[in-house]
Amino acid sequence: MILVLLGPPGSGKGTQAKTLVANHKWPQLSTGDMLRHAISEGTKLGLEAKSFMDKGSLVPDEVVIGLIAARTMLEDCKKGFILDGFPRTIPQAEALDKMLQKQGRLVNRAVLFEIPDAELVRRLSGRRTCLSCGSMFHVDSMKSKKDGICDKCGSPLVQRDDDKAEVIQKRLAVYQLQTAPLAQYYQTAGKLKKIDATQSPEKVSESLEKALS
Ligand code: AP5
């Protein structure tokens, strides 16, 4: 299974990808996580990416395409993988198709997480992330047991720089302009399924499994 999770920032792609990893053992390929890792390591790529991410803009296509091309060649991707946050532009989707074609593979399914903007703003502004293990919480709806501490590994929880109010608005606008057209791209290819992402995480997970069957 090569699965593309499509949807605006905060729609729950990362949350659901982690459930899919646990249930199916497919690796999660998140370009956002890869870029944040590069930033935390202080690499040249990380420094370049940070200037785009802090503003809520997309990192240049060639940078993320290079990251994904290298990652999909690793052994754990042989039986499939989940793409979370990639592709995000039509050129990225076309590059992905070409890359997979060379490997004798293709995208099997793209699932679009549908959700209104008001709920996205609520989710993103209240999100807290563990920098150590990547677990996610929400200050109202998915609270950690101890305030500010990750339930899984005990590390401090932080607010992502791009989850500040002014950057959230920019990310939503960028999504509409550059990423939303991908729904039509995968619809035309006969690969698109849509799910209601406003439901509880458990119900979204059920809908996602149905969309994959
Ligand atoms: P990235 O890290 O990919 O961020 P994103 O797409 O904006 O998505 P998010 O991680 O914000 O949201 P999500 O849909 O995963 O939701 P989550 O599960 O966390 O990208 C960040 C930046 O990197 C981009 O802006 C760009 O600069 C750059 N970048 C990355 N990929 C790129 C690419 N391909 N090309 C160019 N640039 C790229 O959930 C959100 C919150 O809601 C959490 O608090 C969670 O607990 C809560 N929640 C989740 N599900 C539910 C539910 N069902 N009910 C209630 N609350 C829920």
Side-chain angles (χ1 to χ4, degrees), residues 48-90:
E48 189 196 345
K50 189 171 171 17
S51 62
F52 293 96
M53 292 168 79
D54 283 353
K55 285 187 295 197
S57 307
L58 294 185
V59 171
D61 286 339
E62 59 276 17
V63 173
V64 286
I65 291 167
L67 283 176
I68 286 292
R71 183 65 185 84
T72 56
M73 297 304 284
L74 298 185
E75 185 66 26
D76 66 336
C77 287
K78 281 218 165 118
K79 288 191 180 150
F81 47 87
I82 305 156
L83 288 164
D84 163 16
F86 181 94
R88 243 175 164 102
T89 63
I90 297 286

CSV table of all heavy atoms in Angstrom, one decimal, residues 48-90:
chain,number,residue,atom,x,y,z
A,48,GLU,N,17.7,26.3,5.9
A,48,GLU,CA,17.0,26.9,4.7
A,48,GLU,C,15.5,26.7,4.9
A,48,GLU,O,14.7,27.6,4.7
A,48,GLU,CB,17.5,26.1,3.4
A,48,GLU,CG,17.0,26.8,2.2
A,48,GLU,CD,17.2,25.9,0.9
A,48,GLU,OE1,17.9,24.9,1.0
A,48,GLU,OE2,16.5,26.2,-0.1
A,49,ALA,N,15.1,25.4,5.3
A,49,ALA,CA,13.7,25.1,5.5
A,49,ALA,C,13.0,26.0,6.5
A,49,ALA,O,11.9,26.4,6.3
A,49,ALA,CB,13.6,23.6,5.9
A,50,LYS,N,13.8,26.3,7.6
A,50,LYS,CA,13.2,27.0,8.7
A,50,LYS,C,12.6,28.4,8.3
A,50,LYS,O,11.6,28.8,8.7
A,50,LYS,CB,14.2,27.2,9.8
A,50,LYS,CG,13.6,27.8,11.1
A,50,LYS,CD,14.7,27.7,12.2
A,50,LYS,CE,14.3,28.4,13.5
A,50,LYS,NZ,13.0,28.8,13.8
A,51,SER,N,13.4,29.0,7.4
A,51,SER,CA,13.0,30.4,6.9
A,51,SER,C,11.6,30.3,6.2
A,51,SER,O,10.8,31.2,6.3
A,51,SER,CB,14.0,31.0,6.0
A,51,SER,OG,14.2,30.2,4.9
A,52,PHE,N,11.3,29.2,5.5
A,52,PHE,CA,10.0,29.1,4.9
A,52,PHE,C,8.9,28.6,5.9
A,52,PHE,O,7.8,29.2,5.9
A,52,PHE,CB,10.1,28.0,3.8
A,52,PHE,CG,11.0,28.4,2.6
A,52,PHE,CD1,12.3,28.0,2.5
A,52,PHE,CD2,10.5,29.2,1.6
A,52,PHE,CE1,13.1,28.4,1.5
A,52,PHE,CE2,11.3,29.6,0.5
A,52,PHE,CZ,12.6,29.2,0.5
A,53,MET,N,9.3,27.7,6.7
A,53,MET,CA,8.3,27.1,7.6
A,53,MET,C,7.8,28.1,8.7
A,53,MET,O,6.6,28.2,9.0
A,53,MET,CB,8.9,25.9,8.3
A,53,MET,CG,9.1,24.7,7.4
A,53,MET,SD,10.1,23.4,8.1
A,53,MET,CE,8.9,22.5,9.1
A,54,ASP,N,8.7,28.9,9.2
A,54,ASP,CA,8.3,29.9,10.2
A,54,ASP,C,7.3,30.9,9.6
A,54,ASP,O,6.5,31.5,10.4
A,54,ASP,CB,9.6,30.7,10.7
A,54,ASP,CG,10.4,29.8,11.7
A,54,ASP,OD1,9.9,28.7,12.1
A,54,ASP,OD2,11.5,30.2,12.1
A,55,LYS,N,7.3,31.1,8.3
A,55,LYS,CA,6.4,32.1,7.7
A,55,LYS,C,5.1,31.4,7.3
A,55,LYS,O,4.2,32.1,6.8
A,55,LYS,CB,7.0,32.7,6.4
A,55,LYS,CG,8.1,33.7,6.7
A,55,LYS,CD,8.6,34.3,5.3
A,55,LYS,CE,9.2,33.3,4.4
A,55,LYS,NZ,10.0,33.7,3.3
A,56,GLY,N,5.1,30.1,7.3
A,56,GLY,CA,3.9,29.3,6.9
A,56,GLY,C,3.9,29.1,5.4
A,56,GLY,O,2.9,28.6,4.8
A,57,SER,N,5.1,29.3,4.7
A,57,SER,CA,5.2,29.0,3.3
A,57,SER,C,5.7,27.6,3.1
A,57,SER,O,6.2,27.0,4.0
A,57,SER,CB,6.2,30.0,2.6
A,57,SER,OG,5.9,31.3,2.9
A,58,LEU,N,5.5,27.1,1.8
A,58,LEU,CA,6.0,25.8,1.5
A,58,LEU,C,7.5,25.9,1.2
A,58,LEU,O,8.0,26.9,0.7
A,58,LEU,CB,5.3,25.2,0.3
A,58,LEU,CG,3.8,24.9,0.4
A,58,LEU,CD1,3.3,24.2,-0.8
A,58,LEU,CD2,3.6,24.0,1.7
A,59,VAL,N,8.2,24.8,1.6
A,59,VAL,CA,9.7,24.7,1.3
A,59,VAL,C,9.7,24.3,-0.2
A,59,VAL,O,8.8,23.7,-0.7
A,59,VAL,CB,10.2,23.5,2.2
A,59,VAL,CG1,11.6,23.2,1.8
A,59,VAL,CG2,10.2,24.0,3.7
A,60,PRO,N,10.8,24.8,-0.9
A,60,PRO,CA,10.8,24.5,-2.4
A,60,PRO,C,10.7,23.1,-2.8
A,60,PRO,O,11.1,22.2,-2.0
A,60,PRO,CB,12.2,25.0,-2.8
A,60,PRO,CG,12.6,26.1,-1.7
A,60,PRO,CD,11.9,25.6,-0.5
A,61,ASP,N,9.9,22.8,-3.9
A,61,ASP,CA,9.6,21.5,-4.3
A,61,ASP,C,10.9,20.6,-4.4
A,61,ASP,O,10.8,19.4,-3.9
A,61,ASP,CB,9.0,21.5,-5.7
A,61,ASP,CG,7.5,22.0,-5.7
A,61,ASP,OD1,6.9,21.9,-4.6
A,61,ASP,OD2,7.1,22.4,-6.7
A,62,GLU,N,12.0,21.1,-5.0
A,62,GLU,CA,13.1,20.2,-5.2
A,62,GLU,C,13.7,19.7,-3.9
A,62,GLU,O,14.2,18.6,-3.8
A,62,GLU,CB,14.2,20.9,-6.0
A,62,GLU,CG,14.8,22.2,-5.5
A,62,GLU,CD,14.0,23.4,-5.9
A,62,GLU,OE1,12.8,23.3,-6.2
A,62,GLU,OE2,14.5,24.5,-5.7
A,63,VAL,N,13.6,20.5,-2.8
A,63,VAL,CA,14.1,20.0,-1.5
A,63,VAL,C,13.3,18.8,-0.9
A,63,VAL,O,13.9,17.8,-0.6
A,63,VAL,CB,14.0,21.2,-0.5
A,63,VAL,CG1,14.4,20.7,0.9
A,63,VAL,CG2,14.9,22.4,-0.9
A,64,VAL,N,12.0,19.0,-0.9
A,64,VAL,CA,11.1,17.9,-0.4
A,64,VAL,C,11.1,16.7,-1.3
A,64,VAL,O,11.1,15.5,-0.8
A,64,VAL,CB,9.7,18.4,0.0
A,64,VAL,CG1,9.7,19.2,1.3
A,64,VAL,CG2,9.1,19.1,-1.1
A,65,ILE,N,11.2,16.9,-2.6
A,65,ILE,CA,11.2,15.8,-3.5
A,65,ILE,C,12.4,14.9,-3.3
A,65,ILE,O,12.4,13.7,-3.2
A,65,ILE,CB,11.1,16.2,-5.0
A,65,ILE,CG1,9.7,16.8,-5.3
A,65,ILE,CG2,11.4,15.1,-6.0
A,65,ILE,CD1,9.5,17.6,-6.6
A,66,GLY,N,13.6,15.6,-3.1
A,66,GLY,CA,14.8,14.9,-2.8
A,66,GLY,C,14.8,14.1,-1.5
A,66,GLY,O,15.2,13.0,-1.4
A,67,LEU,N,14.1,14.7,-0.5
A,67,LEU,CA,14.0,14.0,0.8
A,67,LEU,C,13.2,12.7,0.6
A,67,LEU,O,13.5,11.6,1.1
A,67,LEU,CB,13.3,14.9,1.8
A,67,LEU,CG,14.0,16.0,2.5
A,67,LEU,CD1,13.1,16.8,3.4
A,67,LEU,CD2,15.2,15.4,3.3
A,68,ILE,N,12.1,12.8,-0.1
A,68,ILE,CA,11.2,11.7,-0.2
A,68,ILE,C,11.8,10.6,-1.2
A,68,ILE,O,11.7,9.4,-0.9
A,68,ILE,CB,9.8,12.1,-0.8
A,68,ILE,CG1,9.0,12.8,0.3
A,68,ILE,CG2,9.0,11.0,-1.4
A,68,ILE,CD1,8.5,11.9,1.5
A,69,ALA,N,12.5,11.1,-2.2
A,69,ALA,CA,13.1,10.1,-3.1
A,69,ALA,C,14.1,9.2,-2.3
A,69,ALA,O,14.2,8.0,-2.5
A,69,ALA,CB,13.8,10.8,-4.2
A,70,ALA,N,14.9,9.9,-1.5
A,70,ALA,CA,15.9,9.1,-0.7
A,70,ALA,C,15.2,8.2,0.3
A,70,ALA,O,15.6,7.0,0.4
A,70,ALA,CB,16.8,10.1,0.0
A,71,ARG,N,14.2,8.7,0.9
A,71,ARG,CA,13.5,7.9,2.0
A,71,ARG,C,12.8,6.6,1.5
A,71,ARG,O,12.8,5.6,2.1
A,71,ARG,CB,12.5,8.8,2.7
A,71,ARG,CG,11.8,8.2,3.9
A,71,ARG,CD,12.8,7.8,5.0
A,71,ARG,NE,12.1,7.1,6.1
A,71,ARG,CZ,11.8,5.8,6.2
A,71,ARG,NH1,12.2,5.0,5.2
A,71,ARG,NH2,11.2,5.2,7.2
A,72,THR,N,12.2,6.8,0.3
A,72,THR,CA,11.4,5.6,-0.3
A,72,THR,C,12.3,4.5,-0.7
A,72,THR,O,11.8,3.4,-1.0
A,72,THR,CB,10.5,6.1,-1.5
A,72,THR,OG1,11.3,6.7,-2.5
A,72,THR,CG2,9.4,7.0,-1.0
A,73,MET,N,13.6,4.8,-0.9
A,73,MET,CA,14.5,3.7,-1.3
A,73,MET,C,14.9,2.8,-0.2
A,73,MET,O,15.6,1.8,-0.4
A,73,MET,CB,15.8,4.3,-2.0
A,73,MET,CG,15.5,5.2,-3.2
A,73,MET,SD,14.7,4.2,-4.5
A,73,MET,CE,16.0,3.2,-5.1
A,74,LEU,N,14.6,3.2,1.1
A,74,LEU,CA,15.1,2.4,2.2
A,74,LEU,C,14.3,1.1,2.3
A,74,LEU,O,13.1,1.0,1.9
A,74,LEU,CB,15.0,3.2,3.5
A,74,LEU,CG,15.9,4.5,3.5
A,74,LEU,CD1,15.8,5.2,4.9
A,74,LEU,CD2,17.3,4.2,3.2
A,75,GLU,N,14.9,0.1,3.0
A,75,GLU,CA,14.4,-1.2,3.1
A,75,GLU,C,13.0,-1.2,3.6
A,75,GLU,O,12.1,-2.0,3.1
A,75,GLU,CB,15.4,-2.0,4.0
A,75,GLU,CG,15.0,-3.5,4.1
A,75,GLU,CD,15.2,-4.3,2.8
A,75,GLU,OE1,16.0,-3.8,2.0
A,75,GLU,OE2,14.5,-5.3,2.7
A,76,ASP,N,12.7,-0.4,4.7
A,76,ASP,CA,11.4,-0.5,5.4
A,76,ASP,C,10.2,0.0,4.5
A,76,ASP,O,9.1,-0.2,4.8
A,76,ASP,CB,11.4,0.3,6.7
A,76,ASP,CG,11.6,1.8,6.5
A,76,ASP,OD1,12.1,2.2,5.5
A,76,ASP,OD2,11.2,2.5,7.4
A,77,CYS,N,10.5,0.6,3.3
A,77,CYS,CA,9.5,1.1,2.4
A,77,CYS,C,9.1,0.1,1.3
A,77,CYS,O,8.2,0.4,0.5
A,77,CYS,CB,9.9,2.4,1.8
A,77,CYS,SG,9.9,3.8,2.9
A,78,LYS,N,9.8,-1.1,1.4
A,78,LYS,CA,9.6,-2.0,0.3
A,78,LYS,C,8.1,-2.5,0.2
A,78,LYS,O,7.6,-2.7,-0.9
A,78,LYS,CB,10.5,-3.2,0.5
A,78,LYS,CG,11.9,-3.0,0.0
A,78,LYS,CD,12.5,-4.2,-0.6
A,78,LYS,CE,13.8,-3.8,-1.4
A,78,LYS,NZ,15.0,-4.5,-0.9
A,79,LYS,N,7.5,-2.7,1.4
A,79,LYS,CA,6.1,-3.2,1.3
A,79,LYS,C,5.1,-2.1,1.3
A,79,LYS,O,3.9,-2.4,1.5
A,79,LYS,CB,5.9,-4.1,2.5
A,79,LYS,CG,6.7,-5.4,2.3
A,79,LYS,CD,6.3,-6.5,3.4
A,79,LYS,CE,7.1,-7.7,3.1
A,79,LYS,NZ,7.3,-8.5,4.4
A,80,GLY,N,5.5,-0.9,1.2
A,80,GLY,CA,4.6,0.3,1.2
A,80,GLY,C,4.9,1.3,2.3
A,80,GLY,O,5.8,1.1,3.1
A,81,PHE,N,4.1,2.4,2.2
A,81,PHE,CA,4.4,3.5,3.2
A,81,PHE,C,3.2,4.5,3.1
A,81,PHE,O,2.4,4.5,2.2
A,81,PHE,CB,5.7,4.2,2.9
A,81,PHE,CG,6.0,4.6,1.5
A,81,PHE,CD1,5.5,5.8,0.9
A,81,PHE,CD2,6.7,3.7,0.6
A,81,PHE,CE1,5.8,6.1,-0.4
A,81,PHE,CE2,6.9,4.0,-0.7
A,81,PHE,CZ,6.4,5.2,-1.2
A,82,ILE,N,3.2,5.3,4.2
A,82,ILE,CA,2.2,6.3,4.3
A,82,ILE,C,2.8,7.7,4.1
A,82,ILE,O,3.8,8.0,4.8
A,82,ILE,CB,1.6,6.3,5.7
A,82,ILE,CG1,1.0,5.0,6.1
A,82,ILE,CG2,0.5,7.4,5.8
A,82,ILE,CD1,1.0,4.8,7.6
A,83,LEU,N,2.3,8.5,3.1
A,83,LEU,CA,2.8,9.8,2.9
A,83,LEU,C,2.0,10.8,3.6
A,83,LEU,O,0.7,10.9,3.4
A,83,LEU,CB,2.9,10.1,1.4
A,83,LEU,CG,3.9,9.3,0.6
A,83,LEU,CD1,3.7,9.4,-0.9
A,83,LEU,CD2,5.3,9.9,0.9
A,84,ASP,N,2.6,11.5,4.6
A,84,ASP,CA,1.8,12.5,5.4
A,84,ASP,C,2.5,13.9,5.2
A,84,ASP,O,3.6,14.1,5.6
A,84,ASP,CB,2.0,12.0,6.9
A,84,ASP,CG,1.7,13.1,7.9
A,84,ASP,OD1,1.1,14.1,7.6
A,84,ASP,OD2,2.1,12.9,9.1
A,85,GLY,N,1.7,14.7,4.4
A,85,GLY,CA,2.3,16.1,4.2
A,85,GLY,C,3.0,16.1,2.9
A,85,GLY,O,3.6,17.2,2.6
A,86,PHE,N,3.0,15.1,2.1
A,86,PHE,CA,3.7,15.1,0.8
A,86,PHE,C,2.8,14.1,-0.1
A,86,PHE,O,2.4,13.1,0.4
A,86,PHE,CB,5.1,14.5,0.9
A,86,PHE,CG,5.8,14.5,-0.5
A,86,PHE,CD1,6.6,15.6,-0.9
A,86,PHE,CD2,5.6,13.4,-1.4
A,86,PHE,CE1,7.2,15.5,-2.1
A,86,PHE,CE2,6.2,13.4,-2.6
A,86,PHE,CZ,7.0,14.5,-3.0
A,87,PRO,N,2.5,14.5,-1.4
A,87,PRO,CA,2.8,15.8,-2.0
A,87,PRO,C,1.9,16.9,-1.6
A,87,PRO,O,0.9,16.7,-1.0
A,87,PRO,CB,2.6,15.4,-3.5
A,87,PRO,CG,1.5,14.4,-3.5
A,87,PRO,CD,1.8,13.6,-2.2
A,88,ARG,N,2.4,18.1,-1.8
A,88,ARG,CA,1.7,19.3,-1.4
A,88,ARG,C,1.5,20.3,-2.6
A,88,ARG,O,0.9,21.4,-2.4
A,88,ARG,CB,2.5,20.0,-0.3
A,88,ARG,CG,1.8,20.1,1.0
A,88,ARG,CD,2.8,20.7,1.9
A,88,ARG,NE,2.3,21.2,3.1
A,88,ARG,CZ,2.3,20.5,4.3
A,88,ARG,NH1,2.8,19.3,4.4
A,88,ARG,NH2,1.9,21.1,5.4
A,89,THR,N,2.0,20.0,-3.7
A,89,THR,CA,1.9,20.8,-4.9
A,89,THR,C,1.7,19.8,-6.1
A,89,THR,O,2.1,18.6,-6.0
A,89,THR,CB,3.1,21.7,-5.2
A,89,THR,OG1,4.2,20.9,-5.5
A,89,THR,CG2,3.4,22.6,-4.1
A,90,ILE,N,1.2,20.3,-7.2
A,90,ILE,CA,1.1,19.4,-8.4
A,90,ILE,C,2.4,19.0,-8.9
A,90,ILE,O,2.6,17.8,-9.1
A,90,ILE,CB,0.3,20.2,-9.5
A,90,ILE,CG1,-1.1,20.5,-9.1
A,90,ILE,CG2,0.3,19.4,-10.8
A,90,ILE,CD1,-2.1,19.3,-9.0
